[in-house]
Amino acid sequence: MKVSEFEQKVWELDGIRIILRADSNDEVGEYERVRAVAQSSSIAEFIENRVKKHIGDVDVVVVDGRGTIPRRNSLVSTIRETYNRE
């Protein structure tokens, strides 16, 4: 799966915007999740438990609705609240 497709799939399923530090056409593993990450998970847990195993050494950051990179101990629920999803 291309990096750009992976980022979009995470956004659609988990409601979290991520940016992989790689070319948008580079290949990474498939994101085969079927349920969204729990609201009570931290960003660090989300990255380590759900994302990293599919992307290998590629650096990843989460971006909130203000365009900033939140602290890794921020909760998923807090980050989701920053996006304007009308």
Side-chain angles (χ1 to χ4, degrees):
M1 155 177 279
K2 291 182 180 180
V3 164
S4 59
E5 295 168 336
F6 188 92
E7 292 168 339
Q8 186 61 32
K9 179 108 184 212
V10 170
W11 171 245
E12 291 170 358
L13 178 64
D14 291 311
I16 298 289
R17 180 66 67 198
I18 65 168
I19 298 174
L20 301 182
R21 306 289 183 150
D23 186 271
S24 61
N25 290 317
D26 285 354
E27 294 286 327
V28 293
E30 294 288 325
Y31 195 65
E32 298 174 343
R33 299 294 185 157
V34 293
R35 292 191 321 236
V37 64
Q39 294 271 64
S40 60
S41 295
S42 70
I43 293 302
E45 292 168 334
F46 167 68
I47 290 171
E48 294 303 318
N49 298 333
R50 293 180 67 97
V51 176
K52 271 300 204 184
K53 63 179 144 191
H54 302 290
I55 64 170
D57 303 2
V58 176
D59 286 334
V60 59
V61 293
V62 169
V63 179
D64 68 17
R66 294 178 294 276
T68 61
I69 298 171
R71 293 181 179 198
R72 291 177 53 91
N73 65 346
S74 300
L75 295 180
V76 165
S77 60
T78 303
I79 303 309
R80 284 181 178 151
E81 289 173 3
T82 68
Y83 301 116
N84 183 8
R85 297 183 112 189
E86 295 179 8

